[in-house]
Amino acid sequence: MSDSRDFSDWSAIKEQRRQMMQHIVSELSDDERQVFTEVLRLNMLGRHQNSPRVVQPLFDFVSEKIR
Amino acid sequence: MILRKLEITNFRQIYGTNQIEFAPVGDRNVTVVLGTNGSGKTTLLSAFMWCLYGTVDLQNKDELISHRAVQDTPVGGTVEVSVTLIFDATGHTYHASRSVCMRRLDGGSLERLTEGKLELMIMGADGRSAMANEPATLVERLLPESLSRFFFFRGEDMEQLARQGSQEHLKKGTETFLDFTVIDRSIKHLGQVSDRIEREIRSIAKGDAKDLSERMGQLTEEIDDLEARHEHAASEVAALVAQGDMLDAELAASDEVRPLLEDKARLKQKLQDQEERARELRRQLAALVSSDGYLAFAGDTLDRPLMLAEQAVQKGELPAKIKPKFVDDLLDKGACICGRPIDDQASGALRVYRSHTGLAGLEEQIFTLRNGVNLLRDRRERFVDLLHSARTDYSVALTDIQRTADELSRIDSELKGRDFGLEAIRALQAKVRAKSNELVEARVLLERLEASTAERRERLKELEDERKKKLGESAQEQALTARKAAVVAAQRAVVRLRNDWAALVQRYLDMKLKQTWDRIAQLERLVEFTPDLHLVIKERGGDGDWIASAPSQANQRALALSFIGALIDLAREVAESPTAGVASVFAGGEYCLVMDAPFATMDTFFKTRIPRGLVSLVPQIIVINSNDQWEGEVASALEDRVGKRYVLELHKPGREGEDRTVQFGGRSVDYEVAERYSGTDWSIIREVA
């Protein structure tokens, strides 16, 4: 029968994703990390909403954080 | 999304108000709907799509409504078409409903009175209900339209999913399924914020920084233009790949039948030659019978005169004693052979004597006849020989024709309608070559565009670094530069997250696909969901290695169903393993599968395995198919899992006695009903208890 791969279940995927995220974030500066987190947070909150509801708060957030 | 109930009123072929209550999740989670051709099987599938998304594949929107319902409506009266779907998702029960009201005008046309907006009522576990403010948005969240093809599908679309050109659809579907939307929107939004900061920088830049900003603006425009062209070229490549794939599939099918077609062409020529020879032999036979056939019926007619003459000889009547010509000569000369004149008395005696010379004439005739009869006898013998030989040849020719016709019939049955014709195959080969050349050119263009874009991006970065040095020392300029750098870096990180996450999901789905294939198909093949998002199936070559093969329709369908099974299993797994944190917004859940004629082109092997495997994997299945597609292996495989049965009872114009019933669930049910006084086809949905 077919080959199998190295994932036991979805939890294993989640763990890999967590590590992947950690690695990506660890390479960012504080400012960059904050922008990265904020854009994902805004989009998760407003996932069914359109762009202007994310772009303006994100722009304000960046302006506020980096002076 | 688990379905509870569908209510359809006057939607296309389906007349009046009809309901289907679906078999719930559990041991008997299969709902079967039987319907003959034209009874509205695909209509049923369309009803789901129309209700949830308002989409329906119709050129004329008036076709939405049942003709029979329109017939029943008087001029000026109104008629309504509506579909309501009740389903469970995310711990709530939803009533989705869409309806259109029309007025019948004089002349038979219809005036649309309402636009058919979606209404969505949400009922909580506590029994409270509320109407959704943005029903379409909510439905899109519960089951995005881009995913609907995975869960509401026609069997014939399945093969398409397993073809090479479908990767865009697979990509979009899986990414929507795993909520890449959030990541993709984040990338886009960061770009928009970066552009806004850039505009602010340009508005305050002075001197060299201003010049550099302008050059950067030009470069950005060029990059935008190149990216638009790249997008267009990429879709061209995808379209060409899809077209090439279709042609390859046709060619693979034609390759399979090519030897048969060559045999068929050879045999057709042989049959033609044999028929020509048989016609020639029949012509020869006819000519022979026409010229000498009478000899066969002459019997003893030829022998009898000779026999009588022989008897006369034996009696001494022949040969004749004197020849009549000798007497005639004497009488003409009037003198005897001795020279003495013949007087009247002698002449009278001679004339009496002459009357007795008839037998001598007969003797002459008999000698002539004997020669003739002998010739005819010889000819008859030859005729009999020739006739026998010609008949044998003709009979052999007919046997040859029959044998060749039998061979042709065997080849036709092996071809089973795949008779492309050798000319068509040659044309197909030429098309494949041309398409392949087009694809090469399109890919070259794509690469050039990519190279040009990369080059400009590099230049843009250089200009940006240069501008950074030229910008003034003011806090505002520094802050703007820092903001832009942070936003661009965050965007790069999200892109990286997206790519890594996509690769991870692809690998996981590949594993799930393999597991699902093993579970539902149980056939030794290597199936893959490749990094470039193709569904591929391989079989073992002679040396034991896996080699990609041109899959049969049945294999393609089994592969696509395995992939969908893998997605559904994944959704369940995700729901069972909730997580908090970034990019884990996909909640997962249970998903039903609504399939129109899913097992139609499968062979016995798959018909016995796939339904059984699917039913163990998918929480709820709705199978819509004809009785022919259902009875036999599929019914045997699913019988003990069927919870609900319905028939699309087709009423169509016809005569008494043209009704048709089928056996379904141990009962005889009406399948087609002939209506003597109806001018149109219509169906109703009947539950088989």
Side-chain angles (χ1 to χ4, degrees), chain B residues 609-639:
Chain B
R609 284 168 174 76
I610 301 277
R612 201 74 203 164
L614 270 183
V615 89
S616 66
L617 199 67
V618 180
Q620 185 187 41
I621 289 184
I622 291 94
V623 184
I624 308 165
N625 50 200
S626 68
N627 185 55
D628 291 345
Q629 292 158 352
W630 171 253
E631 66 181 359
E633 297 95 340
V634 178
S636 302
L638 292 180
E639 199 60 55

mmCIF file of all heavy atoms in Angstrom, chain B residues 609-639:
data_model
loop_
_atom_site.group_PDB
_atom_site.id
_atom_site.type_symbol
_atom_site.label_atom_id
_atom_site.label_comp_id
_atom_site.label_asym_id
_atom_site.label_seq_id
_atom_site.Cartn_x
_atom_site.Cartn_y
_atom_site.Cartn_z
ATOM 1 N N ARG B 609 -15.905 -0.878 -3.081
ATOM 2 C CA ARG B 609 -15.025 -0.362 -2.021
ATOM 3 C C ARG B 609 -15.254 1.096 -1.657
ATOM 4 O O ARG B 609 -15.371 1.441 -0.485
ATOM 5 C CB ARG B 609 -13.563 -0.550 -2.444
ATOM 6 C CG ARG B 609 -13.101 -1.970 -2.310
ATOM 7 C CD ARG B 609 -11.765 -2.171 -3.013
ATOM 8 N NE ARG B 609 -11.262 -3.501 -2.773
ATOM 9 C CZ ARG B 609 -11.721 -4.588 -3.357
ATOM 10 N NH1 ARG B 609 -12.740 -4.496 -4.203
ATOM 11 N NH2 ARG B 609 -11.213 -5.780 -3.095
ATOM 12 N N ILE B 610 -15.303 1.952 -2.674
ATOM 13 C CA ILE B 610 -15.357 3.400 -2.408
ATOM 14 C C ILE B 610 -16.575 3.799 -1.559
ATOM 15 O O ILE B 610 -16.409 4.511 -0.559
ATOM 16 C CB ILE B 610 -15.327 4.206 -3.734
ATOM 17 C CG1 ILE B 610 -14.065 3.889 -4.520
ATOM 18 C CG2 ILE B 610 -15.495 5.690 -3.482
ATOM 19 C CD1 ILE B 610 -12.839 4.633 -4.144
ATOM 20 N N PRO B 611 -17.794 3.358 -1.920
ATOM 21 C CA PRO B 611 -18.936 3.798 -1.092
ATOM 22 C C PRO B 611 -18.775 3.371 0.362
ATOM 23 O O PRO B 611 -19.035 4.148 1.278
ATOM 24 C CB PRO B 611 -20.134 3.087 -1.738
ATOM 25 C CG PRO B 611 -19.692 2.724 -3.104
ATOM 26 C CD PRO B 611 -18.222 2.493 -3.023
ATOM 27 N N ARG B 612 -18.297 2.165 0.545
ATOM 28 C CA ARG B 612 -18.143 1.633 1.897
ATOM 29 C C ARG B 612 -17.091 2.447 2.669
ATOM 30 O O ARG B 612 -17.261 2.762 3.843
ATOM 31 C CB ARG B 612 -17.712 0.171 1.757
ATOM 32 C CG ARG B 612 -17.958 -0.688 2.937
ATOM 33 C CD ARG B 612 -19.414 -1.040 3.111
ATOM 34 N NE ARG B 612 -19.650 -1.394 4.511
ATOM 35 C CZ ARG B 612 -20.826 -1.465 5.069
ATOM 36 N NH1 ARG B 612 -21.900 -1.179 4.370
ATOM 37 N NH2 ARG B 612 -20.949 -1.800 6.321
ATOM 38 N N GLY B 613 -15.990 2.750 1.979
ATOM 39 C CA GLY B 613 -14.920 3.508 2.623
ATOM 40 C C GLY B 613 -15.363 4.919 2.963
ATOM 41 O O GLY B 613 -15.111 5.422 4.061
ATOM 42 N N LEU B 614 -16.084 5.552 2.015
ATOM 43 C CA LEU B 614 -16.530 6.938 2.230
ATOM 44 C C LEU B 614 -17.464 7.028 3.421
ATOM 45 O O LEU B 614 -17.374 7.947 4.226
ATOM 46 C CB LEU B 614 -17.266 7.443 0.988
ATOM 47 C CG LEU B 614 -16.463 8.125 -0.102
ATOM 48 C CD1 LEU B 614 -17.393 8.608 -1.192
ATOM 49 C CD2 LEU B 614 -15.655 9.296 0.441
ATOM 50 N N VAL B 615 -18.351 6.065 3.499
ATOM 51 C CA VAL B 615 -19.372 6.128 4.529
ATOM 52 C C VAL B 615 -18.762 5.991 5.926
ATOM 53 O O VAL B 615 -19.304 6.483 6.909
ATOM 54 C CB VAL B 615 -20.462 5.072 4.221
ATOM 55 C CG1 VAL B 615 -20.170 3.744 4.840
ATOM 56 C CG2 VAL B 615 -21.822 5.583 4.597
ATOM 57 N N SER B 616 -17.614 5.341 5.988
ATOM 58 C CA SER B 616 -16.983 5.196 7.302
ATOM 59 C C SER B 616 -16.189 6.455 7.672
ATOM 60 O O SER B 616 -15.781 6.639 8.793
ATOM 61 C CB SER B 616 -16.052 3.981 7.291
ATOM 62 O OG SER B 616 -14.988 4.237 6.411
ATOM 63 N N LEU B 617 -15.967 7.301 6.655
ATOM 64 C CA LEU B 617 -15.107 8.467 6.841
ATOM 65 C C LEU B 617 -15.906 9.758 6.996
ATOM 66 O O LEU B 617 -15.528 10.658 7.735
ATOM 67 C CB LEU B 617 -14.216 8.581 5.590
ATOM 68 C CG LEU B 617 -12.959 9.381 5.654
ATOM 69 C CD1 LEU B 617 -11.969 8.716 6.585
ATOM 70 C CD2 LEU B 617 -12.347 9.470 4.249
ATOM 71 N N VAL B 618 -17.017 9.834 6.259
ATOM 72 C CA VAL B 618 -17.779 11.076 6.170
ATOM 73 C C VAL B 618 -18.995 10.962 7.095
ATOM 74 O O VAL B 618 -19.688 9.951 7.076
ATOM 75 C CB VAL B 618 -18.225 11.305 4.700
ATOM 76 C CG1 VAL B 618 -19.024 12.578 4.575
ATOM 77 C CG2 VAL B 618 -17.007 11.341 3.794
ATOM 78 N N PRO B 619 -19.252 12.009 7.904
ATOM 79 C CA PRO B 619 -20.337 11.880 8.886
ATOM 80 C C PRO B 619 -21.743 11.789 8.282
ATOM 81 O O PRO B 619 -22.637 11.233 8.885
ATOM 82 C CB PRO B 619 -20.193 13.140 9.738
ATOM 83 C CG PRO B 619 -19.366 14.075 8.947
ATOM 84 C CD PRO B 619 -18.484 13.249 8.085
ATOM 85 N N GLN B 620 -21.920 12.357 7.085
ATOM 86 C CA GLN B 620 -23.250 12.322 6.476
ATOM 87 C C GLN B 620 -23.094 12.339 4.954
ATOM 88 O O GLN B 620 -22.341 13.146 4.417
ATOM 89 C CB GLN B 620 -24.062 13.551 6.918
ATOM 90 C CG GLN B 620 -25.488 13.540 6.423
ATOM 91 C CD GLN B 620 -26.204 14.850 6.723
ATOM 92 O OE1 GLN B 620 -25.633 15.925 6.582
ATOM 93 N NE2 GLN B 620 -27.458 14.764 7.126
ATOM 94 N N ILE B 621 -23.816 11.431 4.296
ATOM 95 C CA ILE B 621 -23.683 11.350 2.838
ATOM 96 C C ILE B 621 -25.060 11.395 2.187
ATOM 97 O O ILE B 621 -25.997 10.737 2.647
ATOM 98 C CB ILE B 621 -22.971 10.037 2.430
ATOM 99 C CG1 ILE B 621 -21.498 10.104 2.829
ATOM 100 C CG2 ILE B 621 -23.096 9.761 0.943
ATOM 101 C CD1 ILE B 621 -20.691 8.910 2.397
ATOM 102 N N ILE B 622 -25.160 12.185 1.125
ATOM 103 C CA ILE B 622 -26.394 12.221 0.333
ATOM 104 C C ILE B 622 -26.004 11.791 -1.081
ATOM 105 O O ILE B 622 -25.166 12.425 -1.721
ATOM 106 C CB ILE B 622 -27.029 13.637 0.327
ATOM 107 C CG1 ILE B 622 -27.570 13.972 1.725
ATOM 108 C CG2 ILE B 622 -28.186 13.715 -0.658
ATOM 109 C CD1 ILE B 622 -26.678 14.716 2.615
ATOM 110 N N VAL B 623 -26.577 10.682 -1.526
ATOM 111 C CA VAL B 623 -26.260 10.161 -2.858
ATOM 112 C C VAL B 623 -27.479 10.356 -3.749
ATOM 113 O O VAL B 623 -28.567 9.864 -3.442
ATOM 114 C CB VAL B 623 -25.926 8.646 -2.812
ATOM 115 C CG1 VAL B 623 -25.515 8.148 -4.187
ATOM 116 C CG2 VAL B 623 -24.847 8.354 -1.801
ATOM 117 N N ILE B 624 -27.271 11.089 -4.824
ATOM 118 C CA ILE B 624 -28.360 11.304 -5.789
ATOM 119 C C ILE B 624 -27.957 10.557 -7.055
ATOM 120 O O ILE B 624 -26.913 10.866 -7.640
ATOM 121 C CB ILE B 624 -28.521 12.813 -6.110
ATOM 122 C CG1 ILE B 624 -28.647 13.625 -4.816
ATOM 123 C CG2 ILE B 624 -29.713 13.061 -7.010
ATOM 124 C CD1 ILE B 624 -28.440 15.128 -5.004
ATOM 125 N N ASN B 625 -28.705 9.573 -7.447
ATOM 126 C CA ASN B 625 -28.324 8.831 -8.662
ATOM 127 C C ASN B 625 -29.512 8.122 -9.289
ATOM 128 O O ASN B 625 -30.602 8.071 -8.718
ATOM 129 C CB ASN B 625 -27.180 7.849 -8.401
ATOM 130 C CG ASN B 625 -27.378 6.958 -7.214
ATOM 131 O OD1 ASN B 625 -26.450 6.410 -6.678
ATOM 132 N ND2 ASN B 625 -28.613 6.785 -6.755
ATOM 133 N N SER B 626 -29.290 7.569 -10.480
ATOM 134 C CA SER B 626 -30.362 6.822 -11.143
ATOM 135 C C SER B 626 -30.416 5.425 -10.545
ATOM 136 O O SER B 626 -29.483 4.983 -9.874
ATOM 137 C CB SER B 626 -30.087 6.749 -12.647
ATOM 138 O OG SER B 626 -28.964 5.931 -12.863
ATOM 139 N N ASN B 627 -31.505 4.739 -10.834
ATOM 140 C CA ASN B 627 -31.645 3.373 -10.329
ATOM 141 C C ASN B 627 -30.533 2.480 -10.878
ATOM 142 O O ASN B 627 -29.986 1.634 -10.166
ATOM 143 C CB ASN B 627 -33.020 2.828 -10.721
ATOM 144 C CG ASN B 627 -33.259 1.465 -10.128
ATOM 145 O OD1 ASN B 627 -33.164 1.287 -8.916
ATOM 146 N ND2 ASN B 627 -33.521 0.486 -10.967
ATOM 147 N N ASP B 628 -30.172 2.693 -12.164
ATOM 148 C CA ASP B 628 -29.110 1.877 -12.778
ATOM 149 C C ASP B 628 -27.791 2.056 -12.037
ATOM 150 O O ASP B 628 -27.019 1.116 -11.884
ATOM 151 C CB ASP B 628 -28.890 2.280 -14.251
ATOM 152 C CG ASP B 628 -30.073 1.886 -15.099
ATOM 153 O OD1 ASP B 628 -30.891 1.077 -14.614
ATOM 154 O OD2 ASP B 628 -30.180 2.405 -16.227
ATOM 155 N N GLN B 629 -27.532 3.312 -11.632
ATOM 156 C CA GLN B 629 -26.258 3.574 -10.934
ATOM 157 C C GLN B 629 -26.292 3.048 -9.502
ATOM 158 O O GLN B 629 -25.252 2.767 -8.918
ATOM 159 C CB GLN B 629 -25.974 5.082 -10.909
ATOM 160 C CG GLN B 629 -25.665 5.652 -12.283
ATOM 161 C CD GLN B 629 -25.904 7.145 -12.345
ATOM 162 O OE1 GLN B 629 -26.431 7.760 -11.420
ATOM 163 N NE2 GLN B 629 -25.546 7.750 -13.479
ATOM 164 N N TRP B 630 -27.483 2.951 -8.957
ATOM 165 C CA TRP B 630 -27.611 2.556 -7.554
ATOM 166 C C TRP B 630 -27.649 1.041 -7.383
ATOM 167 O O TRP B 630 -26.899 0.478 -6.591
ATOM 168 C CB TRP B 630 -28.878 3.190 -6.962
ATOM 169 C CG TRP B 630 -29.239 2.684 -5.598
ATOM 170 C CD1 TRP B 630 -30.276 1.853 -5.279
ATOM 171 C CD2 TRP B 630 -28.548 2.937 -4.377
ATOM 172 N NE1 TRP B 630 -30.284 1.587 -3.946
ATOM 173 C CE2 TRP B 630 -29.229 2.239 -3.357
ATOM 174 C CE3 TRP B 630 -27.418 3.681 -4.032
ATOM 175 C CZ2 TRP B 630 -28.833 2.263 -2.033
ATOM 176 C CZ3 TRP B 630 -27.006 3.705 -2.697
ATOM 177 C CH2 TRP B 630 -27.710 3.000 -1.719
ATOM 178 N N GLU B 631 -28.525 0.379 -8.141
ATOM 179 C CA GLU B 631 -28.747 -1.047 -7.873
ATOM 180 C C GLU B 631 -27.469 -1.842 -8.169
ATOM 181 O O GLU B 631 -26.641 -1.441 -8.973
ATOM 182 C CB GLU B 631 -29.926 -1.582 -8.678
ATOM 183 C CG GLU B 631 -29.711 -1.592 -10.159
ATOM 184 C CD GLU B 631 -30.911 -2.110 -10.933
ATOM 185 O OE1 GLU B 631 -31.922 -2.478 -10.315
ATOM 186 O OE2 GLU B 631 -30.813 -2.141 -12.165
ATOM 187 N N GLY B 632 -27.321 -2.943 -7.501
ATOM 188 C CA GLY B 632 -26.124 -3.762 -7.691
ATOM 189 C C GLY B 632 -25.107 -3.496 -6.605
ATOM 190 O O GLY B 632 -25.448 -3.406 -5.420
ATOM 191 N N GLU B 633 -23.852 -3.295 -7.039
ATOM 192 C CA GLU B 633 -22.748 -3.210 -6.075
ATOM 193 C C GLU B 633 -22.891 -2.051 -5.087
ATOM 194 O O GLU B 633 -22.647 -2.215 -3.888
ATOM 195 C CB GLU B 633 -21.402 -3.040 -6.807
ATOM 196 C CG GLU B 633 -21.010 -4.191 -7.699
ATOM 197 C CD GLU B 633 -21.427 -3.952 -9.131
ATOM 198 O OE1 GLU B 633 -22.333 -3.116 -9.369
ATOM 199 O OE2 GLU B 633 -20.852 -4.598 -10.025
ATOM 200 N N VAL B 634 -23.304 -0.849 -5.602
ATOM 201 C CA VAL B 634 -23.377 0.323 -4.722
ATOM 202 C C VAL B 634 -24.450 0.100 -3.657
ATOM 203 O O VAL B 634 -24.223 0.333 -2.458
ATOM 204 C CB VAL B 634 -23.661 1.612 -5.541
ATOM 205 C CG1 VAL B 634 -23.793 2.812 -4.619
ATOM 206 C CG2 VAL B 634 -22.557 1.844 -6.559
ATOM 207 N N ALA B 635 -25.616 -0.390 -4.082
ATOM 208 C CA ALA B 635 -26.703 -0.641 -3.126
ATOM 209 C C ALA B 635 -26.255 -1.680 -2.093
ATOM 210 O O ALA B 635 -26.485 -1.508 -0.885
ATOM 211 C CB ALA B 635 -27.947 -1.120 -3.868
ATOM 212 N N SER B 636 -25.578 -2.731 -2.560
ATOM 213 C CA SER B 636 -25.128 -3.772 -1.618
ATOM 214 C C SER B 636 -24.151 -3.189 -0.604
ATOM 215 O O SER B 636 -24.193 -3.525 0.576
ATOM 216 C CB SER B 636 -24.418 -4.906 -2.360
ATOM 217 O OG SER B 636 -25.264 -5.441 -3.304
ATOM 218 N N ALA B 637 -23.248 -2.295 -1.107
ATOM 219 C CA ALA B 637 -22.227 -1.739 -0.218
ATOM 220 C C ALA B 637 -22.838 -0.805 0.829
ATOM 221 O O ALA B 637 -22.342 -0.714 1.948
ATOM 222 C CB ALA B 637 -21.181 -0.990 -1.047
ATOM 223 N N LEU B 638 -23.916 -0.107 0.463
ATOM 224 C CA LEU B 638 -24.440 0.932 1.362
ATOM 225 C C LEU B 638 -25.752 0.564 2.061
ATOM 226 O O LEU B 638 -26.185 1.284 2.958
ATOM 227 C CB LEU B 638 -24.650 2.234 0.567
ATOM 228 C CG LEU B 638 -23.389 2.943 0.076
ATOM 229 C CD1 LEU B 638 -23.757 4.210 -0.689
ATOM 230 C CD2 LEU B 638 -22.467 3.319 1.239
ATOM 231 N N GLU B 639 -26.364 -0.532 1.616
ATOM 232 C CA GLU B 639 -27.717 -0.871 2.072
ATOM 233 C C GLU B 639 -27.911 -0.708 3.581
ATOM 234 O O GLU B 639 -28.858 -0.071 4.040
ATOM 235 C CB GLU B 639 -28.029 -2.315 1.639
ATOM 236 C CG GLU B 639 -29.501 -2.664 1.634
ATOM 237 C CD GLU B 639 -30.312 -1.788 0.680
ATOM 238 O OE1 GLU B 639 -29.984 -1.726 -0.499
ATOM 239 O OE2 GLU B 639 -31.266 -1.143 1.175
#
